[in-house]
Amino acid sequence: MTGTAEGPAAEAATVAGRAAQAPAVEAPAAGRPAHRDPQVLRWLGAYTASTVGDSVYYLALSWAAVSSGSPAQAGLVMAVSAVPRVLLMLFGGVIADRLGPRRVVIASDTVRCLVALGLAAVFLLASPGLWALALVALVFGVVDALFMPAVGALPPRITAHDQLARVQGMRGIAQRLGPVLGAPLGGLAVAAGGSATAFGIAGVLFALSLPLLYALKLRPLPGTDGTTGDRTALRDLADGLRYLRRHRVLGPMMIVVLLGDLGFAGPLNVGLTILADQRGWGAAGIGWILAGFGTGAGAASLLLTVKGRIPRAGTVLGWTIVLGAVSIGALAHTPLLPVAVALALSVGLLAGLSGVLCGAVIQTACDPAYLGRVSAVSGLGSLGIAPLSFPLTGAAIGLWGAGPVFVVSAAVCALSGVYALAVPALRQAELPR
């Protein structure tokens, strides 16, 4: 990808950008909490619809891929979308900062809506092959690379600075609702009407986000006129990386996020399945453990939504990572499923709290003009780099067992928290009152 946006999603971003010129400016109401602000509620409704739609889409795609080929082929189809995310996400942040996050999010959900509805129509007429499913996964991967940085850059345009932490908590709740609502909805859709029905429902959910996004009224960024002059995308990207490197809080925060994701992703995504098989807990056991984790993470997001601010955010962030790492290490050393569920609840609560605090500190410390690029760098770790540890985690458990691998992963997580506590600017970071 070069200085201009390429591919179907990026072309749609340009088209939608022209169609959705800068909306009317609406300053946030003074003293109005985010959960009572119509602007924020529109954004939250659109984000929730899109997140649930994503979950329905991924379940429908995985079912269609498994039904059309071997498990290995289905795995390849599902992995295709990760490639453009890794390659294009940093430029997705540049595009979000250049065109404005609202335009990019509208274009992204428009493309996903049209592709999902188109695939539903294809399934009504015929059975598309794996190549067609892989192409759809590729398109969604390109769209994800644009959508994810843009959706992270929207909150400062719609709410006051002191409400950004609360908005981050609300976003965390929506992220938890996605799989909780989307997975069973997608399963019921497949059972009732096959893949066509499931893709159709996903397309409708993406469509529901569009009127809410169009209704958003954005604030202009202070000190900017929204123009890019003669700068290229590469120069904008380099400028964003320099901004990160020089920032006393955000630079170290990127290291914390990357280390935390590397230590957390493997055990929770691959290790739990192997561990449940070795302990004889079965698929139901995995479900209970994931339910415990989701409950804890949702409670952490709800806490920040209600309180709006947690004092000594940087210090709390560091210690919750360290304590969460202890629970991760302990997961592999309990033979009892109820204890494992309790530990997963602890991991979810602590890791969920550290996660929403990371997001809140990034939102409040970052200059909004750079937030798309900063969100892209932050998301690249969890969505691009951390998944590379999945096959390594599985191979390591096969060689040395779950216990040592979970302990090493926990140590990496703990290192992330220790580093956060060791950097004075990050340790002393506070959320706005």
Side-chain angles (χ1 to χ4, degrees), residues 9 58 66 81 93 106 194 203 215 256 260 262 268 284 294 322 326-327 353 372 397 417 431:
Y58 279 112
V66 169
S81 61
I106 288 174
V256 170
L262 284 175
L268 270 294
V322 172
V326 173
S327 295
L353 185 55
I397 291 177
L431 299 178

Side-chain angles (χ1 to χ4, degrees), residues 74-141:
L76 287 174
V77 169
M78 300 304 295
V80 164
S81 61
V83 176
R85 284 204 299 264
V86 173
L87 296 178
L88 302 180
M89 187 170 292
L90 292 181
F91 287 99
V94 172
I95 292 171
D97 288 335
R98 278 186 159 222
L99 299 181
R102 175 178 173 272
R103 296 175 177 179
V104 177
V105 172
I106 288 174
S108 299
D109 274 356
T110 299
V111 171
R112 290 196 283 189
C113 170
L114 294 176
V115 171
L117 292 178
L119 192 58
V122 170
F123 268 101
L124 287 175
L125 301 174
S127 297
L130 286 171
W131 66 269
L133 298 177
L135 179 60
V136 169
L138 185 67
V139 172
F140 265 71

Side-chain angles (χ1 to χ4, degrees), residues 15-69:
V15 173
R18 292 171 181 160
Q21 293 298 321
V25 174
E26 179 182 271
R32 177 183 288 174
H35 61 279
R36 296 179 182 174
D37 187 342
Q39 281 278 94
V40 175
L41 294 179
R42 292 187 198 107
W43 170 84
L44 183 65
Y47 182 66
T48 302
S50 184
T51 302
V52 176
D54 251 344
S55 295
V56 175
Y57 154 77
Y58 279 112
L59 188 143
L61 183 68
S62 62
W63 179 266
V66 169
S67 301
S68 302

Side-chain angles (χ1 to χ4, degrees), residues 93-94 97 156 161 221-222 224 234-254 361-378:
V94 172
D97 288 335
H161 188 68
L221 296 181
T224 66
L234 284 173
R235 287 186 62 184
D236 277 354
L237 177 57
D239 183 40
L241 294 176
R242 279 194 300 271
Y243 172 78
L244 262 180
R245 179 172 59 84
R246 295 170 180 170
H247 202 288
R248 296 172 61 247
V249 173
L250 296 179
M253 179 67 83
M254 296 302 108
V361 170
I362 290 172
Q363 289 279 325
T364 55
C366 184
D367 182 336
Y370 289 92
L371 192 50
R373 281 162 284 183
V374 172
S375 298
V377 174
S378 175

Side-chain angles (χ1 to χ4, degrees), residues 406-420:
F406 268 68
V407 168
V408 170
S409 298
V412 175
C413 274
L415 180 61
S416 170
V418 169
Y419 179 77

